[in-house]
Amino acid sequence: MSDKKAMLGHKVRRLRRDLKMTQAQMAEEIGISPSYLNLIEANQRPLTVPLLLKIASVYGIDMASFAEDDETRLVASLREVFADPLFDAGDIKAQDMKEVAAAAPNLGHAIVSMYRAYREAREDLGALAEKVADRDKLQVMGAQAFPQEEVSEFFQAEQNHFPDLEIAAESLWIDGDLDSGNLYGTLSAYLQKKHGVRVRLMPIDVMGGAICRYDRHSRRVLISEMLDPAGRTFQLASQAALLGQAALLDAAVARGSFSHEESRRLARVGLANYFASSIMMPYGRFLTAAREVRYDIEILCRRFVASYEQVCHRLTALQRPGAKGVPFFFARVDPAGNMSKRFSAAPGFHFARFGGACPRWHLHDAFRRPGEIQTQLARMPDGTTFFSIVRTVEKPGGGWKQPARQFAVAIGCDLAHAGQLVYADGLDLSNVEAATPIGVNCRICPRLDCTQRAFPPLSHRLAVDEHIRGVSSYVSVGTV
């Protein structure tokens, strides 16, 4: 194990807190002194291989995933921050960022959070300027934070896996006498028996823009007729979480240390949705089925009566120690390129926190062939190669005047795992030279020969020669 990988104090501390143990209790169980454990958690002593093996044995964790450090992800975020022209004169080197991530990760995360607040304030100022320009629409605007970003970071920090909710979902299958052949009906019966709540399918003229509504006074869950069967079951299962798993949801939200009430509420909804996925696609059965059909998403959709997006999202949650699935990344964008969901369990694949994604990534091409699954081998600037699958999906609308919303969904993994997927059959996975070169985004991508650049890279000044025209303003003519 390298020195870089040996400094895993934050992982040890997080494991201990998850187990609700004191330093003295954990130290006794793994056979070291509390003072030595304290030094390890403070990254003042390395986590040796024998000690890592002992922790893995005592607590039944997956050693490879535990040893996998968060430094790489933090360094990628810092690179994105310091790619802003604001820091052009700072001469901040990549090694500086690595040292911050290794020696002071909390400081690194604070820098990223501060930059995010700066970007939000700048975008709010731009929006305000536009409204000032149109005096008929001028209104007072308060500074708005982005709860979605906070919640996204929370789910990423938790590796999109919540063991307590998984166990609760498994228990509900037994306590609620649920039936996979009639999950919607048995969930409805459970809600009425356990919580005195009735379920009603309602017409769109009653529901309006809502797809699900819980009426506390009449104790009814109202489901819109516009939802398909998978959507109706999902909403019922989510409501079961909100009614019956409040303590677990609150405990998980408390770990997030959110700065806004909106973030806490949004996280609670996200956790209820996680529980719903666990009900619809129980961990053990779903993982077994995924392996049997080699992660064929459409078969899994039929077998578990779930939507394409629901199955993709569930695949990223298969992070149980000792029973893990393929480590996938997941992303969803709208036709304008706005990324509304992102998560990566695939080491080395990073999403842009600020600005758009790489235009060479075929996620954006999915809209050209709606409903068709497309694959791509993509290589990052550091040489790591990923196998990506994309397809468009639709969210229910409200008839002719409220058309369905369309998104592109991407799911993928490191090339090393691609052979487990049915989508890679017939492809020469050994030919990495055939992979499409992509990056995180233009500002931090070092590829000078890319003809689809929107901005120059951090390490390369924009050279303008009025007598020479290239394919792009940001590409040297000699490199095209």
Side-chain angles (χ1 to χ4, degrees):
M1 182 182 295
S2 67
D3 290 341
K4 177 183 175 184
K5 290 294 184 184
M7 307 307 284
L8 300 173
H10 60 293
K11 293 251 182 177
V12 177
R13 182 172 59 251
R14 178 174 167 186
L15 172 64
R16 178 176 60 79
R17 289 176 176 174
D18 287 345
L19 295 171
K20 298 180 173 59
M21 299 177 69
T22 64
Q23 285 185 335
Q25 290 170 330
M26 175 172 275
E28 182 178 359
E29 290 193 356
I30 61 178
I32 61 175
S33 68
S35 60
Y36 187 59
L37 178 59
N38 182 59
L39 291 173
I40 289 175
E41 291 191 2
N43 278 333
Q44 295 179 19
R45 292 291 186 277
L47 182 63
T48 63
V49 172
L51 191 53
L52 176 58
L53 290 169
K54 183 67 178 289
I55 290 174
S57 173
V58 171
Y59 301 112
I61 63 172
D62 183 83
M63 189 173 69
S65 66
F66 186 80
E68 189 177 287
D69 208 309
D70 295 329
E71 280 184 31
T72 304
R73 198 181 308 280
L74 177 55
V75 169
S77 297
L78 289 171
R79 281 199 183 115
E80 207 174 339
V81 168
F82 291 112
D84 194 299
L86 178 71
F87 301 105
D88 278 355
D91 194 27
I92 299 169
K93 302 289 194 297
Q95 185 60 34
D96 298 329
M97 303 177 206
K98 291 179 181 178
E99 290 175 0
V100 168
N106 289 338
L107 175 61
H109 288 299
I111 291 171
V112 174
S113 296
M114 186 179 298
Y115 180 75
R116 182 192 304 136
Y118 158 73
R119 284 290 300 255
E120 291 169 2
R122 192 170 71 178
E123 290 174 15
D124 283 345
L125 184 60
L128 179 59
E130 290 182 7
K131 289 185 177 292
V132 169
D134 187 349
R135 294 186 177 275
D136 292 335
K137 297 180 180 178
L138 180 61
Q139 56 179 300
V140 176
M141 293 177 58
Q144 294 291 324
F146 293 167
Q148 295 89 341
E149 282 296 318
E150 258 195 318
V151 173
S152 179
E153 293 303 318
F154 166 65
F155 275 84
Q156 182 68 62
E158 296 285 336
Q159 289 293 295
N160 197 32
H161 182 67
F162 299 87
D164 291 345
L165 292 178
E166 295 284 359
I167 293 171
E170 291 167 356
S171 298
L172 182 56
W173 265 90
I174 299 172
D175 299 338
D177 194 23
L178 303 184
D179 179 4
S180 58
N182 182 23
L183 187 53
Y184 179 83
T186 50
L187 265 176
S188 299
Y190 167 79
L191 287 174
Q192 183 160 7
K193 180 180 179 180
K194 180 69 175 180
H195 301 288
V197 171
R198 292 173 296 131
V199 178
R200 290 285 305 276
L201 193 64
M202 304 297 288
I204 187 173
D205 55 324
V206 173
M207 295 296 290
I211 58 174
C212 179
R213 181 185 302 139
Y214 174 53
D215 187 337
R216 292 180 176 82
H217 300 292
S218 64
R219 299 194 65 78
R220 295 188 304 171
V221 177
L222 308 178
I223 304 288
S224 173
E225 64 182 349
M226 300 306 293
L227 283 177
D228 60 16
R232 295 175 188 180
T233 303
F234 184 87
Q235 293 301 325
L236 276 194
S238 180
Q239 194 63 54
L242 295 171
L243 291 172
Q245 307 298 332
L248 289 181
L249 298 180
D250 291 341
V253 170
R255 294 200 300 271
S257 301
F258 297 111
S259 58
H260 304 283
E261 179 60 28
E262 293 87 346
S263 300
R264 285 186 282 273
R265 292 187 180 187
L266 191 60
R268 206 167 190 275
V269 171
L271 290 165
N273 290 344
Y274 181 97
F275 182 86
S277 294
S278 302
I279 288 291
M280 294 179 65
M281 294 163 274
Y283 196 101
R285 283 199 288 126
F286 185 74
L287 176 59
T288 299
R291 288 171 173 170
E292 286 176 351
V293 302
R294 300 184 58 220
Y295 296 88
D296 190 311
I297 299 170
E298 291 173 308
I299 293 179
L300 293 172
C301 288
R302 299 297 183 271
R303 186 167 299 181
F304 291 90
V305 193
S307 72
Y308 186 91
E309 183 177 342
Q310 287 169 351
V311 168
C312 288
H313 207 277
R314 183 60 171 154
L315 287 172
T316 69
L318 301 180
Q319 301 294 310
R320 179 177 288 174
K324 290 192 173 186
V326 168
F328 285 107
F329 60 79
F330 172 92
R332 188 184 75 181
V333 301
D334 65 15
N338 300 304
M339 189 171 293
S340 50
K341 285 185 180 180
R342 56 178 170 81
F343 171 77
S344 179
F349 193 91
H350 304 292
F351 294 109
R353 295 192 187 195
F354 316 105
C358 178
R360 284 183 167 180
W361 187 18
H362 70 154
L363 174 63
H364 309 288
D365 293 332
F367 295 104
R368 299 179 183 177
R369 291 184 280 176
E372 180 180 335
I373 291 179
Q374 303 174 52
T375 63
Q376 180 187 45
L377 284 178
R379 189 172 67 253
M380 301 297 284
D382 64 0
T384 53
T385 306
F386 296 90
F387 182 69
S388 179
I389 307 154
V390 302
R391 204 199 83 171
T392 57
V393 299
E394 285 193 349
K395 296 288 187 179
W400 178 254
K401 293 185 178 180
Q402 296 178 22
R405 296 164 296 154
Q406 191 176 57
F407 298 90
V409 167
I411 189 171
C413 63
D414 189 278
L415 185 62
H417 302 283
Q420 300 180 53
L421 313 184
V422 66
Y423 304 102
D425 286 355
L427 299 179
D428 182 4
L429 299 179
S430 64
N431 185 14
V432 295
E433 294 303 317
T436 302
I438 69 169
V440 177
N441 68 13
C442 292
R443 287 295 293 168
I444 59 177
C445 179
R447 303 186 192 281
L448 295 179
D449 59 345
C450 178
T451 59
Q452 298 192 51
R453 278 194 169 278
F455 305 100
L458 171 67
S459 58
H460 189 75
R461 295 284 183 176
L462 175 61
V464 179
D465 187 331
E466 62 187 32
H467 299 294
I468 301 177
R469 296 293 177 91
V471 177
S472 165
S473 300
Y474 307 122
V475 178
S476 171
V477 173
T479 64
V480 175

